[in-house]
Structures are given as C-alpha cells and as structure tokens.
Amino acid sequence: MQKNPNKKRKVLSYIIITISSLIMLTPFITAALNSLKSYVQYTAIPVEWIPDPVQWENYVEVWKMTDFAQYGWNSLVVTVLSVVGALFSCSLVGYAFARLEFRFKNSLFIMVLGTLMIPPVVMIIPQFIIFKNMGLLDTLVPLWILEWLAQPFGIFLMRQAFLAIPKEYEEAAKLDGCSPLQTYWRIFLPMCKPQLATLTIFTFMAKWNEIMAPVIYLSSQEKFTLPIGVLSMSGAWFGQEQYLVAAALMTLIPILIVFLFTEKFFVKGASSSGLK
C-alpha cells in the first residue's frame, strides 16, 4: 500500500510545532509554578516541580508589599499615550509617503528607514539633555512623547498598508470632494485595522516592558512604572524570591489581555505586511 506523502508531511509538521510550542512555553509554565510555591519548596533540591500546597496568597502579598496599583497606573498612562501617539503619527506619515507626491519623497523615506540602524543607546545622551533643558526630568512625559514624533518601524508598516489599497478608492474619494486628509481619515484608515492592531501590540509591549528609559528619567518612587517598581523591590524580597516571580507574572496580564483582544487583527496584519 502506498502511503500519502502529504499526510506524512502534515503529521511531521504537527509534531515539530507541538515540540516547539512546548519548548517555548516551558519557561512560562515553570515561572507560573514557582510563583505558587513557598520559599522552602522554591529552593528545594532536588527540584519540586508541583507546588504543594498551592500558595495563591503569594500574589496577595505582592499586592500588599508594593505600590503595585500606582506603578500599574503610571505604566498604563505611559503605554496608552504612546500607543495613541504611535497610531496617529505613524499612520499620518505613512499615508503621506504612500499616497502623496512631493519632492525628495523616496530619498526622505530611505533616510527614515536608515534611522532603524541607529542603536537607541546612541540617542540617550542627546535626548536626556533636551528633556533636562525642557524641565521634564522625573516626569512621565519623556517616556511617551517620542512616540508622537512617528517612529520608523511604524511608518514603514503603515506605508506598506496604504500602498496595498487600490487607487480606485482614492479617485472615488476625490470625486466625492474629499481632501487628502479626509481621504486618510474616512477611507484609508478604517481599511488598515490589521496593521493598526499590529502596531498597537508592538508599541504596547515595548512601552509596558520598557526599563531603560524609566531608569534614566525617573527618580521619584511614586513616578516609577511597573517594571522598575518591581525591580526596586527585589532587594526587599531577598529570601522570598517566589514573590518576585509572582510580581513578574502579574505584569504580563495586561499584555495578554491586549493580545487576546487584537490577536485576530494581529495575525492578519503580520501576514499582509510580511512580518512573519
């Protein structure tokens, strides 16, 4: 009997995907189990994988021992303002590069892409001096204001999305009397939801987990965002490291919620823009 080669390849693909998924999930599952252990069980040798009894109160203790709500609120403010700024500025600039005609357009776009090769660490000192002269140190403003200036990755993503829209839509909008800005807002932007969702997730993850900028610009404890707020408490948890693991997992919850709500658009946007 001749076996179907397509069926064999499909089975092999499922096996590879399953093994890869398990490998990638192992650190997360291990952290989740460690967050539910007592310290004795957390440091036991040989390793005790399953918490017994389950210490759900670890999460309650983390909430009580830190200003978790304040840190979370600061992170939320920074992240929401960053996402709104990125969506607005990147889509507007991307639309201009995709659908408008002006001098040196291609050269300017190449220059924008070229800035992707500049390591962020190179910009730290100039940005710090600018924000210092503006009196914005120890405020949340430096953490989100740059996203309102259109970042190159977002510009590229949105430009590709606008380029994929047939020209007939633009011509029909002109016949209806729409200006370029009205065409952008009313016609083109609603057609780019997958790419907007992709940009939302990338910006949200980057800003929610950002550590370097808050460490540089913030000095007051009450202004700390969630990542550095949790890290600042790590010394107080010496001998209780299971709390640190629980706190790290708690910081992931908003990212998971955002991803679940935008997963459908994210996959569509990633596949249509070549971000695989």
Side-chain angles (χ1 to χ4, degrees), residues 198-215:
T198 303
L199 186 58
T200 296
I201 291 179
F202 278 124
T203 307
F204 192 98
M205 291 176 60
K207 287 298 173 179
W208 188 264
N209 295 322
E210 189 173 47
I211 291 180
M212 186 170 65
V215 168

Side-chain angles (χ1 to χ4, degrees), residues 13-260:
S13 299
Y14 280 125
I15 294 174
I16 294 174
I17 291 172
T18 303
I19 294 175
S20 302
S21 300
L22 290 175
I23 292 174
M24 287 188 287
L25 284 174
T26 297
F28 180 79
I29 295 172
T30 304
L33 293 174
N34 285 336
S35 70
L36 298 172
K37 296 177 181 176
S38 64
Y39 183 69
V40 174
Q41 195 176 15
Y42 179 81
T43 55
I45 299 176
V47 176
E48 298 180 17
W49 294 101
I50 306 300
D52 184 26
V54 176
Q55 304 287 324
W56 294 107
E57 57 270 25
N58 287 351
Y59 289 90
V60 179
E61 290 299 321
V62 169
W63 186 270
K64 290 179 180 177
M65 293 168 64
T66 64
D67 292 328
F68 210 86
Q70 182 64 48
Y71 300 152
W73 172 253
N74 293 339
S75 287
L76 187 64
V77 170
V78 170
T79 304
V80 170
L81 290 175
S82 298
V83 169
V84 173
L87 294 179
F88 175 73
S89 61
C90 293
S91 63
L92 198 60
V93 178
Y95 173 78
F97 276 122
R99 312 304 298 204
L100 302 183
E101 295 298 330
F102 52 90
R103 293 183 66 184
F104 310 118
K105 183 174 79 170
N106 293 332
S107 300
L108 288 172
F109 184 65
I110 292 173
M111 289 175 61
V112 169
L113 292 184
T115 60
L116 283 170
M117 294 184 288
I118 301 176
V121 68
V122 175
M123 306 299 292
I124 289 176
I125 294 178
Q127 289 174 355
F128 181 86
I129 294 173
I130 292 172
F131 288 131
K132 181 182 178 182
N133 291 334
M134 295 173 69
L136 295 176
L137 295 185
D138 201 24
T139 70
L140 298 179
V141 177
L143 306 185
W144 57 264
I145 192 67
L146 294 177
E147 296 298 329
W148 286 77
L149 304 180
Q151 299 302 310
F153 169 75
I155 294 173
F156 172 76
L157 182 69
M158 295 310 302
R159 175 183 177 270
Q160 298 305 106
F162 289 128
L163 281 176
I165 298 175
K167 194 174 182 180
E168 286 74 15
Y169 286 97
E170 191 174 7
E171 293 173 347
K174 283 183 181 177
L175 291 176
D176 289 339
C178 289
S179 65
L181 196 58
Q182 289 173 322
T183 304
Y184 151 78
W185 183 256
R186 296 181 178 178
I187 310 296
F188 278 51
L189 204 56
M191 300 174 70
C192 297
K193 290 179 182 175
Q195 289 78 15
L196 293 172
T198 303
L199 186 58
T200 296
I201 291 179
F202 278 124
T203 307
F204 192 98
M205 291 176 60
K207 287 298 173 179
W208 188 264
N209 295 322
E210 189 173 47
I211 291 180
M212 186 170 65
V215 168
I216 293 172
Y217 297 119
L218 302 179
S219 55
S220 301
Q221 186 93 15
E222 65 272 15
K223 301 286 180 57
F224 282 0
T225 54
L226 208 47
I228 63 170
V230 171
L231 284 177
S232 69
M233 293 296 296
S234 59
W237 287 333
F238 180 73
Q240 296 174 314
E241 281 78 7
Q242 75 277 13
Y243 292 150
L244 189 59
V245 181
L249 288 178
M250 289 170 68
T251 64
L252 295 179
I253 294 175
I255 295 177
L256 293 176
I257 293 174
V258 170
F259 182 78
L260 288 175

